[in-house]
Amino acid sequence: MKTLKIISLFAGCGGMDLGFLLAKHPRLKYEIVWANDFDHNACTTYRKNIGEIDEEDIWKVNLKALPDADVIIGGFPCQDFSILRGAERAGTKTKRGLLYTKFVDAAAEKLPMFFVAENVKGLLTANNGWAISKIKKDFEKLRKNKVLHSYLIWFDTEEDESLHNKVKKLAKNYPELKLLYKLKQWED
């Protein structure tokens, strides 16, 4: 069985990490080789449930010194994109809103086989749509650097729509997500 090594950025309590660690695949398993978040309480929970996590401010982390990885995952902070902030969301106009650039930098440095970046639905409309356009352009530059597959994923919290339908809708509207949809082999 092949083990894919993961770097987890903005790991929080480790929800996405746990999903990868529990994933069932006949030929693959995942190992977290480095994780980071700067929230002390989230890191305490991560340590209890998953293992070691670096608690340093990501702006101060030497990305070149990180271990090599096959996969980079993370949910860069959503507060400045969330629709809960109302119509006037700061988006990429704040230092926190620019944290996604550290994800891009890490992927450019480590050249993983693929990465998964997660955020909220409000990312689509923050800064009148400019934020998502800029973020997608920055992530798309990675393809030129030989990152094979990339997925920028967001889900809203509507309870009446199943995860299946959300992924199906995303795959239809965003061709770069079709591989994700096909890998699940979900049927209509």
Side-chain angles (χ1 to χ4, degrees):
M1 182 173 286
K2 180 175 174 66
T3 300
L4 296 183
K5 295 178 181 180
I6 295 177
I7 288 175
S8 177
L9 303 173
F10 316 108
C13 296
M16 193 181 313
D17 303 48
L18 190 59
F20 273 87
L21 292 173
L22 295 176
K24 303 284 186 210
H25 190 280
R27 294 183 308 261
L28 295 174
K29 66 179 185 174
Y30 298 96
E31 173 190 4
I32 309 295
V33 295
W34 190 83
N36 172 270
D37 201 283
F38 84 114
D39 182 274
H40 178 71
N41 293 326
C43 289
T44 298
T45 300
Y46 190 101
R47 284 184 191 100
K48 286 181 181 178
N49 293 309
I50 297 175
E52 286 302 309
I53 184 168
D54 177 79
E55 205 169 323
E56 188 175 3
D57 181 343
I58 194 71
W59 291 109
K60 297 176 181 175
V61 171
N62 177 0
L63 300 175
K64 292 178 193 251
L66 298 183
D68 289 334
D70 304 299
V71 183
I72 298 178
I73 64 173
F76 52 93
C78 67
Q79 294 90 332
D80 294 316
F81 305 110
S82 176
I83 58 176
L84 295 177
R85 297 266 176 179
E88 294 299 320
R89 291 167 277 148
T92 55
K93 295 178 183 175
T94 67
K95 186 175 181 181
R96 181 175 56 193
L98 290 172
L99 279 167
Y100 82 89
T101 63
K102 296 307 289 180
F103 195 122
V104 173
D105 292 347
E109 181 64 40
K110 294 301 168 184
L111 299 177
M113 291 189 306
F114 70 92
F115 68 84
V116 179
E118 175 274 333
N119 212 278
V120 295
K121 182 180 179 180
L123 180 64
L124 299 174
T125 56
N127 305 118
N128 294 315
W130 185 87
I132 186 64
S133 177
K134 173 68 173 141
I135 290 169
K136 283 181 72 175
K137 283 180 186 170
D138 288 348
F139 276 117
E140 286 169 358
K141 289 177 188 172
L142 295 172
R143 288 190 180 154
K144 295 174 185 163
N145 289 335
K146 301 192 188 322
V147 174
L148 299 180
H149 301 289
S150 58
Y151 309 108
L152 184 60
I153 301 173
W154 60 92
F155 291 116
D156 58 30
T157 57
E158 295 174 21
E159 293 180 17
D160 60 336
E161 200 172 7
S162 71
L163 178 61
H164 166 84
N165 287 334
K166 289 178 185 184
V167 173
K168 181 179 167 185
K169 187 186 298 182
L170 286 170
K172 182 187 284 185
N173 294 329
Y174 296 90
E176 65 269 24
L177 293 177
K178 285 193 178 182
L179 179 62
L180 176 66
Y181 180 65
K182 287 180 181 175
L183 282 174
K184 293 295 181 184
Q185 297 179 0
W186 286 326
E187 298 179 18
D188 291 321

